[in-house]
Amino acid sequence: DVKVTQSSRYLVKRTGEKVFLECVQDMDHENMFWYRQDPGLGLRLIYFSYDVKMKEKGDIPEGYSVSREKKERFSLILESASTNQTSMYLCASSLGAYNQPQHFGDGTRLSIL
Amino acid sequence: KQEVTQIPAALSVPEGENLVLNCSFTDSAIYNLQWFRQDPGKGLTSLLLIQSSQREQTSGRLNASLDKSSGRSTLYIAASQPGDSATYLCAVEVRYGGATNKLIFGTGTLLAVQP
C-alpha cells in the first residue's frame, strides 16, 4: 500500500528559527509536492520536485526552500520562520507527471510563536 | 486563471440518504479531475480520478461524473453512513510550466452524516 510519512504531526518553533519538515515516500514515485493548507484558502502549492535534485517553485514559494537529495525524501525548509507561516503542511507524491493520483501524508501542524 | 469552487461549504444529512456534492471549475483545459477525502487533522485520501476524456468513475458507493464543457463535476454518495463524515475536496489537474502538471483545489465541502 502507498505510504507517505511526514516526520512530525505537530511542531512549535519560534520566529527566526530555521525549520525543517521532512517527508518520505516508499513507492518509488518520481514526483513529490509540498502544500500548505489554511482555512478559507484551501491547499496551495509551495514547491514540487519531479526528479532527484530537481525542484520547481509552486504558487507561494517565498520564505521557503526545498531539498531532494534522494528519490524517496523531500524536505521543506523555512529559512527564517515567521508567524504567517503557521499552518498545516502537507506532503504528497505521485508516480508520474500526468494523470496520476497524488498520495498524501498525514500533515504537520506547524505553529510559529 | 483556473478557479475551483465547491458548494455547499457544509452539509448535514441523516444516515441512509443519498447525496450529491458539487464542484465547478472555470477553465475546461484540464487533464483530469480528482476527488479527495480529508478526515479532521489528517492528510488527503484519493477517492476517484476522472480523466478529461471520461464521463464518470465509480468506486463502491461513490460515483463521480465530469462535464468538462460546462465546468462541473458531482460526487454522488449512495446510502450515506456516519463513517462518511469528512471534508471532501475536488481538484483539477492543469498544465504548469514545461515539465509537469499541478492540482488546483477547491476549498471543500464538510459533510456530517447523522446517525
Side-chain angles (χ1 to χ4, degrees), chain B residues 31-44:
Chain B
Y31 283 75
N32 62 61
L33 185 141
Q34 302 183 35
W35 282 95
F36 295 87
R37 168 189 172 132
Q38 185 174 31
D39 293 296
K42 295 274 196 168
L44 280 65

Side-chain angles (χ1 to χ4, degrees), chain B residues 38-113:
Chain B
Q38 185 174 31
D39 293 296
K42 295 274 196 168
L44 280 65
T45 300
S46 178
L47 297 174
L48 291 164
L49 183 153
I50 313 175
Q51 297 196 17
S52 61
S53 58
Q54 297 176 320
R55 298 284 293 182
E56 64 180 293
Q57 280 285 335
T58 298
S59 176
R61 293 183 294 110
L62 305 180
N63 176 276
S65 68
L66 174 64
D67 184 343
K68 212 172 73 159
S69 60
S70 69
R72 294 184 181 182
S73 176
T74 60
L75 180 66
Y76 174 83
I77 302 177
S80 59
Q81 303 170 358
D84 294 329
S85 298
T87 298
Y88 290 80
L89 297 114
C90 69
V92 294
E93 183 175 321
V94 300
R95 192 69 173 174
Y96 188 73
T100 192
N101 291 351
K102 73 166 185 177
L103 292 179
I104 298 176
F105 287 84
T107 50
T109 294
L110 176 62
L111 173 66
V113 180

